[in-house]
Amino acid sequence: MDKIYLDFNASTPLAPSVIEKMKPYLEKGFGNPSSLHWSGRESRQAIEKAREQMALLLECSPDEIIFTSGGSESNNLAIRGFLQQFKSGHIITSKIEHPAVLNVCQYMQDQGFSVSYLPVDANGIVDPDILDEHIRPNTRLITIMLANNETGAIQPISEICNIAHKHDIPVHTDAAQAVGKIGVSLKELKADMVSIAGHKMYAPKGVGALYIGKHIDLEPVLFGADHEKGLRPGTENVLEIVGLGEAARIFKDEQEGIISEQESLRNNFWELLKTQLPNIELNGDLDQILPNTLNIQFTGIDANTLLSELSEIAASAGAACHADDVNPSHVLKAMGLSDQDATQCIRFSLGRTNTQKEIKIAAERIINTVKKLSKSDEPQYRSVQHKDIKLTQYTHGLGCACKLKPDNLEKIINNIKNLADPNIITGIMDSEDAAIYQISKEQAIVATLDFFTPIVDDPFDFGRIAAANALSDIYAMGGQPLF
């Protein structure tokens, strides 16, 4: 089957003209933009052109734009860089922020600041009146995202700014998911600081920008040479900054058509699904979300199970499945969904390269798979020999269900008493998942034990996978399995 990418909120491909604009800087445009000779001046001119392109998109002055490595760095610089001038104070944010904001607020809380986390309504929107109630005499900063990455909910930032500015409180907004998807005019938005991420708007990963109003004083959070007004040390990434500038130009010139096409694709996709699957629910309001985003609850079906059946479709589940963590979405929980409901949600985020044909095919595959999984009296088995057993019914999230946070694992290991035996070469005392025990001068034995939940339905297949997994641990410790 053809693979279909519906995860553009996670990352976008490079736009073709972005690639073309970057190509010269892969070969000839290597000069250091801080150098005074001709090669350095060419690089500096390329950076300043990109700065102008970003300023035109946001409707601000070029000298209010600095380039960073991405949205996370921009958020850190905006929040920490502003608050470092105070010894203490109060911060207002929301419960649905990206970790790049929530974790910075937590850090500032550890430094002595207090933080208010605003609730959202069932559509994932912050109420400006509730914000007004949380403002204190010592409130230093308000940081609320412009558009949510999971649900696409667009926040009333201009209203929030009006309230904040009456109290002389600056507003920072994480616009990583908004810029390049909806029009963002700082003349209308009135935010004091705005974070942008390149790889969310068809520019490269590893580059971003931060708008800083002329009236805002920031202190650097990194230290080095005097680049980007002394706020972002390190030689500028000319190649990717050029790409970001071109991405800004594209959206500035084609904004109306891009938004219209995305809305058409999204609405068609939703109608196709909703018509055939009446039990699904949309998390959010179509009139208040990004034109490319749908967060859908497939009632009664685990999202990771559904996505594993739809392996040719790229989308994101409402229960985050990272290398060291499995948690229901904090965004969906803030909107009132239970842990179980959140694990039944999938985010589909469409992009400029999707077509109506792709959307129709994706919808058909999803509809057929949901209907198949919903027929509990007609289970689908992987093996004819074991029709009475379906192992994956006992687990959710497949392999992700086995994962344990490293800090939790460390606590468990620390509570296990180490054996005082000189023949133990390595083992749990070294945080190894296998032990080596010396039995003679020439030989040692490897002992290992693993536990993981079923990842396939057929018991025989699962046994083969388990055996291969155990053998891999033996080989990893330098041992040779004996049969």
mmCIF file with all atom_site columns, all heavy atoms in Angstrom, residues 423-426 435-447 474 477-480 482:
data_model
loop_
_atom_site.group_PDB
_atom_site.id
_atom_site.type_symbol
_atom_site.label_atom_id
_atom_site.label_alt_id
_atom_site.label_comp_id
_atom_site.label_asym_id
_atom_site.label_entity_id
_atom_site.label_seq_id
_atom_site.pdbx_PDB_ins_code
_atom_site.Cartn_x
_atom_site.Cartn_y
_atom_site.Cartn_z
_atom_site.occupancy
_atom_site.B_iso_or_equiv
_atom_site.pdbx_formal_charge
_atom_site.auth_seq_id
_atom_site.auth_comp_id
_atom_site.auth_asym_id
_atom_site.auth_atom_id
_atom_site.pdbx_PDB_model_num
ATOM 1   N N   . ASN A 1 423 ? 33.025 -13.045 41.756 1.00 0.00 ? 423 ASN A N   1
ATOM 2   C CA  . ASN A 1 423 ? 32.930 -13.635 40.418 1.00 0.00 ? 423 ASN A CA  1
ATOM 3   C C   . ASN A 1 423 ? 31.961 -12.888 39.501 1.00 0.00 ? 423 ASN A C   1
ATOM 4   O O   . ASN A 1 423 ? 31.886 -13.175 38.315 1.00 0.00 ? 423 ASN A O   1
ATOM 5   C CB  . ASN A 1 423 ? 32.498 -15.103 40.520 1.00 0.00 ? 423 ASN A CB  1
ATOM 6   C CG  . ASN A 1 423 ? 33.586 -15.967 41.152 1.00 0.00 ? 423 ASN A CG  1
ATOM 7   O OD1 . ASN A 1 423 ? 34.770 -15.732 40.933 1.00 0.00 ? 423 ASN A OD1 1
ATOM 8   N ND2 . ASN A 1 423 ? 33.175 -16.940 41.953 1.00 0.00 ? 423 ASN A ND2 1
ATOM 9   N N   . ILE A 1 424 ? 31.186 -11.960 40.062 1.00 0.00 ? 424 ILE A N   1
ATOM 10  C CA  . ILE A 1 424 ? 30.275 -11.170 39.231 1.00 0.00 ? 424 ILE A CA  1
ATOM 11  C C   . ILE A 1 424 ? 31.082 -10.066 38.549 1.00 0.00 ? 424 ILE A C   1
ATOM 12  O O   . ILE A 1 424 ? 31.575 -9.146  39.204 1.00 0.00 ? 424 ILE A O   1
ATOM 13  C CB  . ILE A 1 424 ? 29.135 -10.556 40.074 1.00 0.00 ? 424 ILE A CB  1
ATOM 14  C CG1 . ILE A 1 424 ? 28.304 -11.664 40.730 1.00 0.00 ? 424 ILE A CG1 1
ATOM 15  C CG2 . ILE A 1 424 ? 28.244 -9.679  39.193 1.00 0.00 ? 424 ILE A CG2 1
ATOM 16  C CD1 . ILE A 1 424 ? 27.199 -11.153 41.631 1.00 0.00 ? 424 ILE A CD1 1
ATOM 17  N N   . ILE A 1 425 ? 31.213 -10.171 37.245 1.00 0.00 ? 425 ILE A N   1
ATOM 18  C CA  . ILE A 1 425 ? 31.996 -9.192  36.481 1.00 0.00 ? 425 ILE A CA  1
ATOM 19  C C   . ILE A 1 425 ? 31.202 -7.908  36.269 1.00 0.00 ? 425 ILE A C   1
ATOM 20  O O   . ILE A 1 425 ? 31.706 -6.803  36.407 1.00 0.00 ? 425 ILE A O   1
ATOM 21  C CB  . ILE A 1 425 ? 32.419 -9.794  35.118 1.00 0.00 ? 425 ILE A CB  1
ATOM 22  C CG1 . ILE A 1 425 ? 33.329 -11.006 35.360 1.00 0.00 ? 425 ILE A CG1 1
ATOM 23  C CG2 . ILE A 1 425 ? 33.140 -8.741  34.265 1.00 0.00 ? 425 ILE A CG2 1
ATOM 24  C CD1 . ILE A 1 425 ? 33.671 -11.767 34.087 1.00 0.00 ? 425 ILE A CD1 1
ATOM 25  N N   . THR A 1 426 ? 29.940 -8.061  35.919 1.00 0.00 ? 426 THR A N   1
ATOM 26  C CA  . THR A 1 426 ? 29.072 -6.890  35.755 1.00 0.00 ? 426 THR A CA  1
ATOM 27  C C   . THR A 1 426 ? 27.633 -7.346  35.943 1.00 0.00 ? 426 THR A C   1
ATOM 28  O O   . THR A 1 426 ? 27.337 -8.535  35.904 1.00 0.00 ? 426 THR A O   1
ATOM 29  C CB  . THR A 1 426 ? 29.249 -6.233  34.368 1.00 0.00 ? 426 THR A CB  1
ATOM 30  O OG1 . THR A 1 426 ? 28.529 -4.996  34.341 1.00 0.00 ? 426 THR A OG1 1
ATOM 31  C CG2 . THR A 1 426 ? 28.734 -7.117  33.244 1.00 0.00 ? 426 THR A CG2 1
ATOM 32  N N   . ALA A 1 435 ? 23.731 -9.994  33.446 1.00 0.00 ? 435 ALA A N   1
ATOM 33  C CA  . ALA A 1 435 ? 24.875 -10.169 34.362 1.00 0.00 ? 435 ALA A CA  1
ATOM 34  C C   . ALA A 1 435 ? 25.877 -11.141 33.746 1.00 0.00 ? 435 ALA A C   1
ATOM 35  O O   . ALA A 1 435 ? 25.501 -12.048 32.996 1.00 0.00 ? 435 ALA A O   1
ATOM 36  C CB  . ALA A 1 435 ? 24.402 -10.691 35.708 1.00 0.00 ? 435 ALA A CB  1
ATOM 37  N N   . ILE A 1 436 ? 27.139 -10.920 34.048 1.00 0.00 ? 436 ILE A N   1
ATOM 38  C CA  . ILE A 1 436 ? 28.196 -11.847 33.608 1.00 0.00 ? 436 ILE A CA  1
ATOM 39  C C   . ILE A 1 436 ? 28.868 -12.413 34.857 1.00 0.00 ? 436 ILE A C   1
ATOM 40  O O   . ILE A 1 436 ? 29.380 -11.656 35.704 1.00 0.00 ? 436 ILE A O   1
ATOM 41  C CB  . ILE A 1 436 ? 29.237 -11.148 32.714 1.00 0.00 ? 436 ILE A CB  1
ATOM 42  C CG1 . ILE A 1 436 ? 28.556 -10.567 31.467 1.00 0.00 ? 436 ILE A CG1 1
ATOM 43  C CG2 . ILE A 1 436 ? 30.340 -12.127 32.319 1.00 0.00 ? 436 ILE A CG2 1
ATOM 44  C CD1 . ILE A 1 436 ? 29.510 -9.853  30.527 1.00 0.00 ? 436 ILE A CD1 1
ATOM 45  N N   . TYR A 1 437 ? 28.851 -13.728 34.965 1.00 0.00 ? 437 TYR A N   1
ATOM 46  C CA  . TYR A 1 437 ? 29.404 -14.419 36.148 1.00 0.00 ? 437 TYR A CA  1
ATOM 47  C C   . TYR A 1 437 ? 30.552 -15.318 35.702 1.00 0.00 ? 437 TYR A C   1
ATOM 48  O O   . TYR A 1 437 ? 30.386 -16.179 34.826 1.00 0.00 ? 437 TYR A O   1
ATOM 49  C CB  . TYR A 1 437 ? 28.314 -15.248 36.827 1.00 0.00 ? 437 TYR A CB  1
ATOM 50  C CG  . TYR A 1 437 ? 28.738 -15.848 38.147 1.00 0.00 ? 437 TYR A CG  1
ATOM 51  C CD1 . TYR A 1 437 ? 28.617 -15.129 39.334 1.00 0.00 ? 437 TYR A CD1 1
ATOM 52  C CD2 . TYR A 1 437 ? 29.251 -17.145 38.198 1.00 0.00 ? 437 TYR A CD2 1
ATOM 53  C CE1 . TYR A 1 437 ? 28.999 -15.679 40.547 1.00 0.00 ? 437 TYR A CE1 1
ATOM 54  C CE2 . TYR A 1 437 ? 29.648 -17.714 39.408 1.00 0.00 ? 437 TYR A CE2 1
ATOM 55  C CZ  . TYR A 1 437 ? 29.520 -16.977 40.580 1.00 0.00 ? 437 TYR A CZ  1
ATOM 56  O OH  . TYR A 1 437 ? 29.910 -17.519 41.784 1.00 0.00 ? 437 TYR A OH  1
ATOM 57  N N   . GLN A 1 438 ? 31.721 -15.125 36.275 1.00 0.00 ? 438 GLN A N   1
ATOM 58  C CA  . GLN A 1 438 ? 32.916 -15.887 35.888 1.00 0.00 ? 438 GLN A CA  1
ATOM 59  C C   . GLN A 1 438 ? 32.871 -17.256 36.544 1.00 0.00 ? 438 GLN A C   1
ATOM 60  O O   . GLN A 1 438 ? 32.733 -17.374 37.771 1.00 0.00 ? 438 GLN A O   1
ATOM 61  C CB  . GLN A 1 438 ? 34.184 -15.138 36.305 1.00 0.00 ? 438 GLN A CB  1
ATOM 62  C CG  . GLN A 1 438 ? 35.445 -15.745 35.726 1.00 0.00 ? 438 GLN A CG  1
ATOM 63  C CD  . GLN A 1 438 ? 36.615 -14.771 35.762 1.00 0.00 ? 438 GLN A CD  1
ATOM 64  O OE1 . GLN A 1 438 ? 36.472 -13.671 36.266 1.00 0.00 ? 438 GLN A OE1 1
ATOM 65  N NE2 . GLN A 1 438 ? 37.739 -15.189 35.237 1.00 0.00 ? 438 GLN A NE2 1
ATOM 66  N N   . ILE A 1 439 ? 32.998 -18.332 35.732 1.00 0.00 ? 439 ILE A N   1
ATOM 67  C CA  . ILE A 1 439 ? 32.955 -19.687 36.282 1.00 0.00 ? 439 ILE A CA  1
ATOM 68  C C   . ILE A 1 439 ? 34.317 -20.385 36.215 1.00 0.00 ? 439 ILE A C   1
ATOM 69  O O   . ILE A 1 439 ? 34.519 -21.417 36.840 1.00 0.00 ? 439 ILE A O   1
ATOM 70  C CB  . ILE A 1 439 ? 31.890 -20.541 35.563 1.00 0.00 ? 439 ILE A CB  1
ATOM 71  C CG1 . ILE A 1 439 ? 32.111 -20.552 34.051 1.00 0.00 ? 439 ILE A CG1 1
ATOM 72  C CG2 . ILE A 1 439 ? 30.486 -20.019 35.882 1.00 0.00 ? 439 ILE A CG2 1
ATOM 73  C CD1 . ILE A 1 439 ? 31.125 -21.451 33.289 1.00 0.00 ? 439 ILE A CD1 1
ATOM 74  N N   . SER A 1 440 ? 35.237 -19.813 35.421 1.00 0.00 ? 440 SER A N   1
ATOM 75  C CA  . SER A 1 440 ? 36.605 -20.333 35.374 1.00 0.00 ? 440 SER A CA  1
ATOM 76  C C   . SER A 1 440 ? 37.490 -19.247 34.783 1.00 0.00 ? 440 SER A C   1
ATOM 77  O O   . SER A 1 440 ? 37.000 -18.178 34.407 1.00 0.00 ? 440 SER A O   1
ATOM 78  C CB  . SER A 1 440 ? 36.689 -21.612 34.526 1.00 0.00 ? 440 SER A CB  1
ATOM 79  O OG  . SER A 1 440 ? 36.496 -21.288 33.161 1.00 0.00 ? 440 SER A OG  1
ATOM 80  N N   . LYS A 1 441 ? 38.762 -19.521 34.668 1.00 0.00 ? 441 LYS A N   1
ATOM 81  C CA  . LYS A 1 441 ? 39.661 -18.520 34.082 1.00 0.00 ? 441 LYS A CA  1
ATOM 82  C C   . LYS A 1 441 ? 39.311 -18.237 32.628 1.00 0.00 ? 441 LYS A C   1
ATOM 83  O O   . LYS A 1 441 ? 39.548 -17.153 32.127 1.00 0.00 ? 441 LYS A O   1
ATOM 84  C CB  . LYS A 1 441 ? 41.113 -19.002 34.201 1.00 0.00 ? 441 LYS A CB  1
ATOM 85  C CG  . LYS A 1 441 ? 41.658 -18.982 35.616 1.00 0.00 ? 441 LYS A CG  1
ATOM 86  C CD  . LYS A 1 441 ? 43.129 -19.395 35.638 1.00 0.00 ? 441 LYS A CD  1
ATOM 87  C CE  . LYS A 1 441 ? 43.683 -19.343 37.057 1.00 0.00 ? 441 LYS A CE  1
ATOM 88  N NZ  . LYS A 1 441 ? 45.101 -19.746 37.101 1.00 0.00 ? 441 LYS A NZ  1
ATOM 89  N N   . GLU A 1 442 ? 38.803 -19.250 31.936 1.00 0.00 ? 442 GLU A N   1
ATOM 90  C CA  . GLU A 1 442 ? 38.535 -19.101 30.510 1.00 0.00 ? 442 GLU A CA  1
ATOM 91  C C   . GLU A 1 442 ? 37.085 -18.784 30.182 1.00 0.00 ? 442 GLU A C   1
ATOM 92  O O   . GLU A 1 442 ? 36.781 -18.323 29.087 1.00 0.00 ? 442 GLU A O   1
ATOM 93  C CB  . GLU A 1 442 ? 38.917 -20.395 29.750 1.00 0.00 ? 442 GLU A CB  1
ATOM 94  C CG  . GLU A 1 442 ? 40.395 -20.717 29.750 1.00 0.00 ? 442 GLU A CG  1
ATOM 95  C CD  . GLU A 1 442 ? 40.844 -21.372 31.053 1.00 0.00 ? 442 GLU A CD  1
ATOM 96  O OE1 . GLU A 1 442 ? 39.967 -21.914 31.751 1.00 0.00 ? 442 GLU A OE1 1
ATOM 97  O OE2 . GLU A 1 442 ? 42.042 -21.307 31.361 1.00 0.00 ? 442 GLU A OE2 1
ATOM 98  N N   . GLN A 1 443 ? 36.162 -19.038 31.125 1.00 0.00 ? 443 GLN A N   1
ATOM 99  C CA  . GLN A 1 443 ? 34.751 -18.935 30.769 1.00 0.00 ? 443 GLN A CA  1
ATOM 100 C C   . GLN A 1 443 ? 33.950 -18.114 31.776 1.00 0.00 ? 443 GLN A C   1
ATOM 101 O O   . GLN A 1 443 ? 34.277 -18.053 32.967 1.00 0.00 ? 443 GLN A O   1
ATOM 102 C CB  . GLN A 1 443 ? 34.117 -20.324 30.662 1.00 0.00 ? 443 GLN A CB  1
ATOM 103 C CG  . GLN A 1 443 ? 34.428 -21.040 29.355 1.00 0.00 ? 443 GLN A CG  1
ATOM 104 C CD  . GLN A 1 443 ? 33.596 -22.297 29.217 1.00 0.00 ? 443 GLN A CD  1
ATOM 105 O OE1 . GLN A 1 443 ? 33.496 -23.082 30.159 1.00 0.00 ? 443 GLN A OE1 1
ATOM 106 N NE2 . GLN A 1 443 ? 33.009 -22.505 28.050 1.00 0.00 ? 443 GLN A NE2 1
ATOM 107 N N   . ALA A 1 444 ? 32.912 -17.476 31.249 1.00 0.00 ? 444 ALA A N   1
ATOM 108 C CA  . ALA A 1 444 ? 31.934 -16.768 32.082 1.00 0.00 ? 444 ALA A CA  1
ATOM 109 C C   . ALA A 1 444 ? 30.554 -17.056 31.503 1.00 0.00 ? 444 ALA A C   1
ATOM 110 O O   . ALA A 1 444 ? 30.418 -17.395 30.326 1.00 0.00 ? 444 ALA A O   1
ATOM 111 C CB  . ALA A 1 444 ? 32.204 -15.274 32.083 1.00 0.00 ? 444 ALA A CB  1
ATOM 112 N N   . ILE A 1 445 ? 29.547 -16.951 32.334 1.00 0.00 ? 445 ILE A N   1
ATOM 113 C CA  . ILE A 1 445 ? 28.182 -17.214 31.884 1.00 0.00 ? 445 ILE A CA  1
ATOM 114 C C   . ILE A 1 445 ? 27.371 -15.913 31.914 1.00 0.00 ? 445 ILE A C   1
ATOM 115 O O   . ILE A 1 445 ? 27.558 -15.079 32.793 1.00 0.00 ? 445 ILE A O   1
ATOM 116 C CB  . ILE A 1 445 ? 27.516 -18.300 32.771 1.00 0.00 ? 445 ILE A CB  1
ATOM 117 C CG1 . ILE A 1 445 ? 26.196 -18.742 32.138 1.00 0.00 ? 445 ILE A CG1 1
ATOM 118 C CG2 . ILE A 1 445 ? 27.328 -17.816 34.192 1.00 0.00 ? 445 ILE A CG2 1
ATOM 119 C CD1 . ILE A 1 445 ? 25.613 -19.987 32.796 1.00 0.00 ? 445 ILE A CD1 1
ATOM 120 N N   . VAL A 1 446 ? 26.529 -15.737 30.915 1.00 0.00 ? 446 VAL A N   1
ATOM 121 C CA  . VAL A 1 446 ? 25.676 -14.546 30.831 1.00 0.00 ? 446 VAL A CA  1
ATOM 122 C C   . VAL A 1 446 ? 24.263 -14.917 31.263 1.00 0.00 ? 446 VAL A C   1
ATOM 123 O O   . VAL A 1 446 ? 23.701 -15.896 30.757 1.00 0.00 ? 446 VAL A O   1
ATOM 124 C CB  . VAL A 1 446 ? 25.640 -13.983 29.391 1.00 0.00 ? 446 VAL A CB  1
ATOM 125 C CG1 . VAL A 1 446 ? 24.728 -12.763 29.326 1.00 0.00 ? 446 VAL A CG1 1
ATOM 126 C CG2 . VAL A 1 446 ? 27.051 -13.622 28.933 1.00 0.00 ? 446 VAL A CG2 1
ATOM 127 N N   . ALA A 1 447 ? 23.719 -14.148 32.193 1.00 0.00 ? 447 ALA A N   1
ATOM 128 C CA  . ALA A 1 447 ? 22.348 -14.367 32.643 1.00 0.00 ? 447 ALA A CA  1
ATOM 129 C C   . ALA A 1 447 ? 21.524 -13.126 32.344 1.00 0.00 ? 447 ALA A C   1
ATOM 130 O O   . ALA A 1 447 ? 21.943 -12.009 32.637 1.00 0.00 ? 447 ALA A O   1
ATOM 131 C CB  . ALA A 1 447 ? 22.326 -14.665 34.134 1.00 0.00 ? 447 ALA A CB  1
ATOM 132 N N   . ILE A 1 474 ? 22.244 -11.753 24.941 1.00 0.00 ? 474 ILE A N   1
ATOM 133 C CA  . ILE A 1 474 ? 23.452 -12.579 25.108 1.00 0.00 ? 474 ILE A CA  1
ATOM 134 C C   . ILE A 1 474 ? 24.569 -12.055 24.199 1.00 0.00 ? 474 ILE A C   1
ATOM 135 O O   . ILE A 1 474 ? 25.708 -11.847 24.622 1.00 0.00 ? 474 ILE A O   1
ATOM 136 C CB  . ILE A 1 474 ? 23.161 -14.057 24.767 1.00 0.00 ? 474 ILE A CB  1
ATOM 137 C CG1 . ILE A 1 474 ? 22.023 -14.597 25.635 1.00 0.00 ? 474 ILE A CG1 1
ATOM 138 C CG2 . ILE A 1 474 ? 24.425 -14.893 24.919 1.00 0.00 ? 474 ILE A CG2 1
ATOM 139 C CD1 . ILE A 1 474 ? 22.307 -14.640 27.103 1.00 0.00 ? 474 ILE A CD1 1
ATOM 140 N N   . MET A 1 477 ? 26.212 -8.768  25.295 1.00 0.00 ? 477 MET A N   1
ATOM 141 C CA  . MET A 1 477 ? 27.185 -8.853  26.396 1.00 0.00 ? 477 MET A CA  1
ATOM 142 C C   . MET A 1 477 ? 28.457 -9.589  25.963 1.00 0.00 ? 477 MET A C   1
ATOM 143 O O   . MET A 1 477 ? 29.336 -9.847  26.781 1.00 0.00 ? 477 MET A O   1
ATOM 144 C CB  . MET A 1 477 ? 26.564 -9.587  27.589 1.00 0.00 ? 477 MET A CB  1
ATOM 145 C CG  . MET A 1 477 ? 25.304 -8.915  28.155 1.00 0.00 ? 477 MET A CG  1
ATOM 146 S SD  . MET A 1 477 ? 25.563 -7.192  28.635 1.00 0.00 ? 477 MET A SD  1
ATOM 147 C CE  . MET A 1 477 ? 26.631 -7.392  30.046 1.00 0.00 ? 477 MET A CE  1
ATOM 148 N N   . GLY A 1 478 ? 28.544 -9.906  24.669 1.00 0.00 ? 478 GLY A N   1
ATOM 149 C CA  . GLY A 1 478 ? 29.749 -10.558 24.169 1.00 0.00 ? 478 GLY A CA  1
ATOM 150 C C   . GLY A 1 478 ? 29.725 -12.074 24.335 1.00 0.00 ? 478 GLY A C   1
ATOM 151 O O   . GLY A 1 478 ? 30.754 -12.742 24.174 1.00 0.00 ? 478 GLY A O   1
ATOM 152 N N   . GLY A 1 479 ? 28.564 -12.644 24.669 1.00 0.00 ? 479 GLY A N   1
ATOM 153 C CA  . GLY A 1 479 ? 28.459 -14.076 24.889 1.00 0.00 ? 479 GLY A CA  1
ATOM 154 C C   . GLY A 1 479 ? 28.050 -14.830 23.660 1.00 0.00 ? 479 GLY A C   1
ATOM 155 O O   . GLY A 1 479 ? 27.699 -14.250 22.632 1.00 0.00 ? 479 GLY A O   1
ATOM 156 N N   . GLN A 1 480 ? 28.115 -16.175 23.762 1.00 0.00 ? 480 GLN A N   1
ATOM 157 C CA  . GLN A 1 480 ? 27.693 -17.052 22.657 1.00 0.00 ? 480 GLN A CA  1
ATOM 158 C C   . GLN A 1 480 ? 26.619 -18.000 23.183 1.00 0.00 ? 480 GLN A C   1
ATOM 159 O O   . GLN A 1 480 ? 26.855 -18.768 24.107 1.00 0.00 ? 480 GLN A O   1
ATOM 160 C CB  . GLN A 1 480 ? 28.878 -17.866 22.129 1.00 0.00 ? 480 GLN A CB  1
ATOM 161 C CG  . GLN A 1 480 ? 28.479 -18.841 21.019 1.00 0.00 ? 480 GLN A CG  1
ATOM 162 C CD  . GLN A 1 480 ? 29.650 -19.693 20.564 1.00 0.00 ? 480 GLN A CD  1
ATOM 163 O OE1 . GLN A 1 480 ? 30.776 -19.453 20.949 1.00 0.00 ? 480 GLN A OE1 1
ATOM 164 N NE2 . GLN A 1 480 ? 29.370 -20.721 19.764 1.00 0.00 ? 480 GLN A NE2 1
ATOM 165 N N   . LEU A 1 482 ? 24.355 -21.119 23.747 1.00 0.00 ? 482 LEU A N   1
ATOM 166 C CA  . LEU A 1 482 ? 24.541 -22.567 23.596 1.00 0.00 ? 482 LEU A CA  1
ATOM 167 C C   . LEU A 1 482 ? 23.183 -23.235 23.629 1.00 0.00 ? 482 LEU A C   1
ATOM 168 O O   . LEU A 1 482 ? 22.347 -22.905 24.465 1.00 0.00 ? 482 LEU A O   1
ATOM 169 C CB  . LEU A 1 482 ? 25.428 -23.122 24.710 1.00 0.00 ? 482 LEU A CB  1
ATOM 170 C CG  . LEU A 1 482 ? 26.816 -22.487 24.844 1.00 0.00 ? 482 LEU A CG  1
ATOM 171 C CD1 . LEU A 1 482 ? 27.554 -23.086 26.040 1.00 0.00 ? 482 LEU A CD1 1
ATOM 172 C CD2 . LEU A 1 482 ? 27.615 -22.695 23.576 1.00 0.00 ? 482 LEU A CD2 1
#
